Amino acid sequence: MDREPPLRETKGGKMKDGPIRCILLGEFHVVAGSKISCQVPENFITKEVFDSIRTYIIPKPQLQRCILTISNTLGHKVIGYPVRINHVRYQRNFFYFNLCFVFDSWSRTVQYEAVVKKLSEYLLMMEEEGSFLSNAENNGNISNLLGCILHDLNQRHVATIVEGDTTIYLKIGRLKSDPPVVQDHQVPLLCRGFEDTDLDSWDLTTQQVLPFINGINHVARIAAEADVENQLVKSCIQNLVYYGVMQLLPLLKYSNVYMCTRELQKLTRDRTLADECRKYVQLQHAEKVDTVRLPSLFNILQLYSQMTHGVTLRSLCQRLCPRDNNIDERKLVSFGLQHNLIRCINKYPIYTGSIPTPKHKLYTGLNSLDEICCKTGMSPSRIEQEIDMDSNVTVIWK
């Protein structure tokens, strides 16, 4: 079988997805001890490599039925699931085997763990029913089976095994990146398609929190109104963000400054997106949307295009009066952030004096005005007024 070219390790030593380089079946021989009974492709794992890991291929009985990962083994990374079968038909009244997937040492392998476990449990069942593994006459069948699995998982990320009346399906799950840390000042919003989900289908914490998630309330306020511990609310929202049920938006304030992005062109090119936007930002929502009263795309684009440095949402509303054109400016901002049509430019105060007060210690240039508001419980206007009067505080917009 041709070996695929290796994927390169990312900068900073981070793990990256890579192909399965080899599938091997290790077992305990009553005379030779731990050995490789079958591997695909043949001789991929050399004697030198195997001798360095043989203790972990057939480990102590206490580690059976556990996923074991052996990292940085002479350029390889091995995942195994050792299994011990106790029965009088074997020479020492037991049979010990371990199905292993072999990768490059830099590969991320957590997504393969469930596949290794499922395949091992399947081989266990085959062994118990018909001595599939311990019978030397089946070595050719085992080699063909492992070869097909290796090819299908690398090429299609799925594999189907049919052996007699038994069928098993293997699939490599898509590994998502870790969700962002949820901050007190962020505003959670349910993604499209989940708005009308029955409350009973959620867990208890989500049921308590969900009624207060409206695209306007920030995390700290949701925790207070739902009477749920703040960290528990953050964990709940982080979990929903991970599964694509919810997204996080900046806190909406009329003192905010927004800026349009290149994605704004989509509104003129994508008719479906434009129609969705017109319905979403409509000031009055009826059960049956009146297409005659929908705001015009011209007025929507006019508002978005005027969002730039130095122009607050308040001044924009005073100048263009979006509500006179049947446009809810809050929903306009929300839709723009959801679809990356605009982005929020935040204020980051920096204290340059020598003797900071407790409040000044928050002015590091790393905490945005929204974060400071949530931590101090003060309104943005009051903090901005104090910043304007303090000559030792400089503000960065970014």
Side-chain angles (χ1 to χ4, degrees), residues 217-339:
N217 292 339
H218 54 75
V219 172
R221 184 174 180 180
I222 291 169
E225 293 190 358
D227 195 21
V228 178
E229 200 272 326
N230 185 278
Q231 195 57 45
L232 197 59
V233 172
K234 289 182 178 179
S235 298
C236 171
I237 292 173
Q238 189 179 38
N239 187 56
L240 293 173
V241 170
Y242 179 78
Y243 287 106
V245 176
M246 194 170 287
Q247 61 184 125
L248 295 170
L249 304 178
L251 182 63
L252 190 147
K253 305 190 304 294
Y254 282 90
S255 59
N256 280 358
V257 173
Y258 299 94
M259 184 175 181
C260 59
T261 69
R262 291 185 178 182
E263 298 296 315
L264 187 60
Q265 301 174 47
K266 289 182 179 179
L267 278 182
T268 60
R269 299 173 179 174
D270 189 337
R271 180 66 180 272
T272 303
L273 181 65
D275 290 342
E276 182 186 348
C277 179
R278 294 173 65 203
K279 293 175 184 177
Y280 188 91
V281 306
Q282 186 183 19
L283 187 59
Q284 298 294 332
H285 283 281
E287 290 186 5
K288 184 177 180 181
V289 177
D290 185 359
T291 54
V292 177
R293 297 192 67 251
L294 286 178
S296 70
L297 185 60
F298 172 81
N299 289 328
I300 292 172
L301 286 170
Q302 185 184 37
L303 282 162
Y304 277 140
S305 62
Q306 294 295 315
M307 293 181 178
T308 185
H309 283 281
V311 180
T312 63
L313 181 61
R314 180 183 292 107
S315 63
L316 191 67
C317 292
Q318 291 172 344
R319 181 156 48 91
L320 296 179
C321 304
R323 298 198 171 223
D324 291 346
N325 295 313
N326 198 30
I327 297 174
D328 186 333
E329 68 278 358
R330 296 170 302 175
K331 291 189 174 293
L332 182 79
V333 170
S334 178
F335 186 88
L337 292 171
Q338 290 177 56
H339 293 83

Side-chain angles (χ1 to χ4, degrees), residues 77-317:
K77 186 175 184 180
V78 182
I79 298 181
Y81 186 78
V83 177
R84 174 178 170 136
I85 307 173
N86 296 311
H87 200 280
V88 294
R89 70 169 177 259
Y90 303 115
Q91 256 185 295
R92 293 193 181 181
N93 295 328
F94 71 84
F95 178 73
Y96 216 152
F97 75 92
N98 190 356
L99 177 82
C100 300
F101 282 15
V102 182
F103 305 86
D104 292 303
S105 59
W106 46 260
S107 292
R108 177 171 48 189
T109 56
V110 64
Q111 68 270 33
Y112 291 94
E113 291 179 359
V115 176
V116 171
K117 180 179 179 180
K118 186 175 183 179
L119 184 54
S120 297
E121 295 286 358
Y122 171 76
L123 293 177
L124 168 63
M125 180 190 68
M126 296 288 289
E127 172 62 23
E128 290 179 332
E129 289 183 354
S131 300
F132 182 70
L133 300 178
S134 57
N135 188 346
E137 295 179 0
N138 291 327
N139 285 350
N141 294 334
I142 295 172
S143 181
N144 292 335
L145 176 67
L146 297 184
C148 291
I149 294 171
L150 176 67
H151 176 269
D152 291 349
L153 289 181
N154 277 338
Q155 296 297 321
R156 302 187 291 115
H157 303 290
V158 294
T160 304
I161 306 169
V162 180
E163 208 49 58
D165 296 330
T166 306
T167 303
I168 184 173
Y169 301 94
L170 303 174
K171 182 177 181 179
I172 302 169
R174 186 171 63 91
L175 190 64
K176 297 182 179 181
S177 57
D178 291 337
V181 176
V182 179
Q183 305 290 344
D184 285 332
H185 65 278
Q186 291 178 309
V187 178
L189 178 70
L190 282 172
C191 294
R192 186 178 177 183
F194 295 96
E195 301 92 343
D196 300 323
T197 306
D198 188 9
L199 268 180
D200 293 336
S201 61
W202 302 104
D203 60 81
L204 292 177
T205 303
T206 307
Q207 288 181 32
Q208 285 182 268
V209 169
L210 213 54
F212 303 97
I213 295 177
N214 55 9
I216 297 174
N217 292 339
H218 54 75
V219 172
R221 184 174 180 180
I222 291 169
E225 293 190 358
D227 195 21
V228 178
E229 200 272 326
N230 185 278
Q231 195 57 45
L232 197 59
V233 172
K234 289 182 178 179
S235 298
C236 171
I237 292 173
Q238 189 179 38
N239 187 56
L240 293 173
V241 170
Y242 179 78
Y243 287 106
V245 176
M246 194 170 287
Q247 61 184 125
L248 295 170
L249 304 178
L251 182 63
L252 190 147
K253 305 190 304 294
Y254 282 90
S255 59
N256 280 358
V257 173
Y258 299 94
M259 184 175 181
C260 59
T261 69
R262 291 185 178 182
E263 298 296 315
L264 187 60
Q265 301 174 47
K266 289 182 179 179
L267 278 182
T268 60
R269 299 173 179 174
D270 189 337
R271 180 66 180 272
T272 303
L273 181 65
D275 290 342
E276 182 186 348
C277 179
R278 294 173 65 203
K279 293 175 184 177
Y280 188 91
V281 306
Q282 186 183 19
L283 187 59
Q284 298 294 332
H285 283 281
E287 290 186 5
K288 184 177 180 181
V289 177
D290 185 359
T291 54
V292 177
R293 297 192 67 251
L294 286 178
S296 70
L297 185 60
F298 172 81
N299 289 328
I300 292 172
L301 286 170
Q302 185 184 37
L303 282 162
Y304 277 140
S305 62
Q306 294 295 315
M307 293 181 178
T308 185
H309 283 281
V311 180
T312 63
L313 181 61
R314 180 183 292 107
S315 63
L316 191 67
C317 292

